[in-house]
Amino acid sequence: MDKLEVFGARKLKGNVHISGSKNAALPILAASILSNKKIILNNLPNVKDIKTMIKLLESIGSIIKYSKKKNSITIQNKNKIKTFASYNLVKTMRAGILVLGPMLARYGNAKVSTPGGCTIGVRPIDIHLKALAKLGVNYKIVDGYVHAKSKKKLKGTKIKFPKISVGATENLIIASSMAEGTSILSNCAIEPEIKDLINFINCIGGKIKWIGKRTLKIQGVNNFKEAKYNIMPDRIEAGTYLIAAAVTEGKLKISGINPNIIRTEIEIFKKLGLKIKIEKNQINIIGTKDIKSINLKTSPYPGFPTDLQAQLMVLLCKSKKLSIISEEIFENRFMHVAELNRMGAKIKTKGNKAFIEGNTNFKSAELMATDLRASVSLILAALIAKGKTTINRIYHLDRGYEQIEKKLRKVGAKIRRVS
Ligand code: EPZ
């Protein structure tokens, strides 16, 4: 199994270009099931989760062609595809559940594996299923599979999500786009990736519009048209590299990202003492020794993202005073804490709160990576620790960061993959 070796205590300097967003590309790939017309997707990130979603599409009969242009594919669905998503493909990537909505909308039946347990929390799919039932879907769960059917075409209706869920909002946007009549979805997630999904569906002929801050009006359509679409840049990757500059007291230009979509993060980084200059599609950051402390909660967009919580924690270890992070989205997303403490951090957790004492001089160690963002937080700590840090079990990292070693090496990190 691959591992990473990082030789730390080097300041990062230079330019990092941000790849396409994994969490925008996954629902867009799922939504392609709605159409039997040619779809060209550009700026797909070259990461494992995207390859898995493409495999899933191929397994149901989509024809995928890789273009000569980097990170671009053409999808052509037949009139009839299989409405089955196997456990083997869905087990490593929870976004597999997003094929349920489009399969039901187009064919009225689907058998999709439930995504199974996950290291960051239980992550049920009850909100997805109850909302789909309101569109006329009957379902039961047998042997780990959701068996879902609707007697007639899905029928648009009013749905208020009981809790903000990114995935459930996406599944219902996709399904409602091909349901009969109008759907009003309220209490929706409003992450930029949701907006990208809506832009994509509208680009292939959907009729979706915002009628309130968290409310969508969706007019179902029967047929979609050919289209070409560019996936948005990855805001979590951008945030991760901003923190990489900050922890190493380096100086980075983060390019290819619209700064407006990470305004909350930028404001927080400024409060922590970092110098940030914003240009069009570029953010310049200069790190500092004097990191301030903070008391912060993760929350749905536009709040501070749970997907940057682990990375921020590494930065807060450098502060002189106590910081507190409350993880409000997932119940078990502090798995990086034990490994960071092994590197010399002084972090205690109680329930969903982490108390970060600060004043940490990270020391190199042999580490074990857990989930995607926890894995990258260990790289960040390793970048500042003197000596060689070895990070084992990095397959989660490959699910979501395109060419991370190459991008880091280009800006001065000493990091290598050992296979
Ligand atoms: C998406 O997961 C992202 N994944 C996650 O990114 C991200 O952390 C999360 O949104 C929150 O921003 C993708 O976009 C592929 P949710 P999702 O439904 O859709 C509970 C990463 O590192 N819930 O918004 O699964 C759930 O347990 C990842 O890239 C239910 O109770 O997240 C959680 O506590 C990890 N029932 C909360 O809602 C449901 O049916 C929010 O989850 C659905 C969710």
Side-chain angles (χ1 to χ4, degrees):
M1 208 177 279
D2 287 8
K3 54 187 177 184
L4 284 178
E5 289 178 349
V6 184
F7 299 83
R10 301 162 79 94
K11 290 183 199 279
L12 301 187
K13 274 200 188 113
N15 180 24
V16 178
H17 190 79
I18 296 306
S19 299
S21 160
K22 160 181 91 74
N23 289 349
L26 288 168
I28 288 175
L29 285 165
S32 73
I33 293 174
L34 290 174
S35 171
N36 59 358
K37 303 276 165 41
K38 192 162 93 177
I39 294 170
I40 298 175
L41 293 179
N42 295 321
N43 203 31
L44 276 173
N46 186 6
V47 297
K48 188 79 198 311
D49 272 8
I50 298 300
K51 289 180 190 151
T52 308
M53 185 58 107
I54 289 176
K55 257 195 212 154
L56 201 169
L57 293 180
E58 286 176 328
S59 78
I60 61 174
S62 304
I63 313 279
I64 314 272
K65 287 201 181 115
Y66 291 84
S67 131
K68 279 190 194 123
K69 206 172 128 198
K70 206 176 141 240
N71 297 357
S72 170
I73 60 166
T74 303
I75 306 173
Q76 174 74 65
N77 284 319
K78 297 178 199 148
N79 284 327
K80 189 73 196 142
I81 55 161
K82 281 185 228 156
T83 50
F84 172 69
S86 81
Y87 173 70
N88 271 344
L89 289 163
V90 174
K91 70 177 178 199
T92 58
M93 179 201 60
R94 294 188 56 86
I97 195 64
L98 296 177
V99 301
L100 188 61
M103 283 177 175
L104 286 165
R106 194 158 160 213
Y107 299 102
N109 68 78
K111 182 178 166 190
V112 175
S113 170
T114 53
C118 172
T119 46
I120 62 175
V122 183
R123 301 184 78 182
I125 51 166
D126 56 322
I127 304 175
H128 300 237
L129 296 176
K130 284 180 190 151
L132 285 168
K134 292 200 172 140
L135 295 180
V137 173
N138 292 308
Y139 66 86
K140 55 185 179 188
I141 298 177
V142 183
D143 297 335
Y145 278 85
V146 181
H147 295 246
K149 251 192 192 144
S150 71
K151 282 199 188 112
K152 293 186 244 152
K153 202 165 163 44
L154 300 186
K155 201 158 171 32
T157 189
K158 278 191 180 166
I159 294 169
K160 182 170 184 193
F161 293 106
K163 175 178 182 177
I164 294 171
S165 158
V166 172
T169 303
E170 290 167 344
N171 230 337
L172 268 290
I173 289 173
I174 303 172
S176 309
S177 296
M178 210 177 181
E180 203 178 277
T182 307
S183 296
I184 306 286
L185 308 184
S186 55
N187 203 27
C188 292
I190 54 169
E191 270 63 6
E193 294 76 18
I194 304 263
K195 294 180 181 161
D196 211 39
L197 170 67
I198 293 172
N199 290 342
F200 165 73
I201 296 178
N202 285 342
C203 175
I204 60 169
K207 291 191 176 154
I208 309 175
K209 65 176 184 195
W210 291 100
I211 55 167
K213 190 179 168 207
R214 291 193 180 272
T215 307
L216 284 168
K217 182 173 177 188
I218 304 177
Q219 184 68 49
V221 297
N222 271 326
N223 290 303
F224 293 89
K225 58 182 187 201
E226 276 194 24
K228 204 187 262 185
Y229 192 75
N230 293 336
I231 308 284
M232 65 174 272
D234 195 315
R235 67 189 165 104
I236 304 300
E237 189 195 20
T240 302
Y241 284 105
L242 286 169
I243 296 175
V247 291
T248 63
E249 292 162 36
K251 194 175 170 187
L252 289 182
K253 279 185 205 304
I254 312 292
S255 63
I257 176 89
N258 170 3
N260 279 332
I261 63 171
I262 55 168
R263 234 182 293 158
T264 303
E265 293 87 319
I266 289 175
E267 283 317 306
I268 284 166
F269 296 154
K270 281 184 180 166
K271 273 192 199 151
L272 293 177
L274 299 160
K275 282 203 192 97
I276 295 188
K277 203 172 131 214
I278 286 172
E279 290 174 25
K280 193 174 174 242
N281 291 327
Q282 183 170 305
I283 305 164
N284 303 327
I285 179 164
I286 303 179
T288 166
K289 263 194 179 45
D290 301 312
I291 298 294
K292 307 232 169 27
S293 63
I294 199 165
N295 193 340
L296 171 139
K297 281 183 180 167
T298 61
S299 54
Y301 195 84
F304 190 85
T306 172
D307 292 348
L308 273 182
Q309 176 258 107
Q311 301 90 312
L312 181 74
M313 198 177 283
V314 176
L315 179 59
L316 295 178
C317 285
K318 292 193 59 166
S319 164
K320 302 269 182 295
K321 293 197 191 133
L322 179 81
S323 295
I324 304 173
I325 297 185
S326 307
E327 171 53 56
E328 302 284 329
I329 309 291
F330 293 111
E331 59 276 39
N332 189 25
R333 215 175 192 181
F334 284 145
M335 275 167 312
H336 40 288
V337 168
E339 294 301 84
L340 293 177
N341 282 346
R342 291 186 54 240
M343 296 179 79
K346 288 155 270 175
I347 308 166
K348 288 195 182 109
T349 59
K350 195 169 176 210
N352 73 336
K353 286 192 171 44
F355 300 85
I356 305 131
E357 220 180 84
N359 286 311
T360 299
N361 280 318
F362 281 107
K363 293 181 193 74
S364 55
E366 174 128 15
L367 305 170
M368 193 61 85
T370 48
D371 69 282
L372 170 59
R373 309 302 171 185
S375 307
V376 85
S377 78
L378 301 185
I379 297 189
L380 293 173
L383 288 173
I384 27 179
K386 272 201 190 114
K388 179 172 103 176
T389 295
T390 305
I391 306 171
N392 293 292
R393 203 169 58 187
I394 52 165
Y395 58 84
H396 281 291
L397 196 69
D398 295 332
R399 288 182 36 221
Y401 284 93
E402 180 169 308
Q403 297 197 314
I404 189 161
E405 307 104 90
K406 201 170 164 195
K407 287 189 184 187
L408 283 171
R409 265 200 303 268
K410 199 179 139 226
V411 291
K414 209 170 161 198
I415 176 168
R416 68 169 180 227
R417 181 177 292 249
V418 182
S419 294

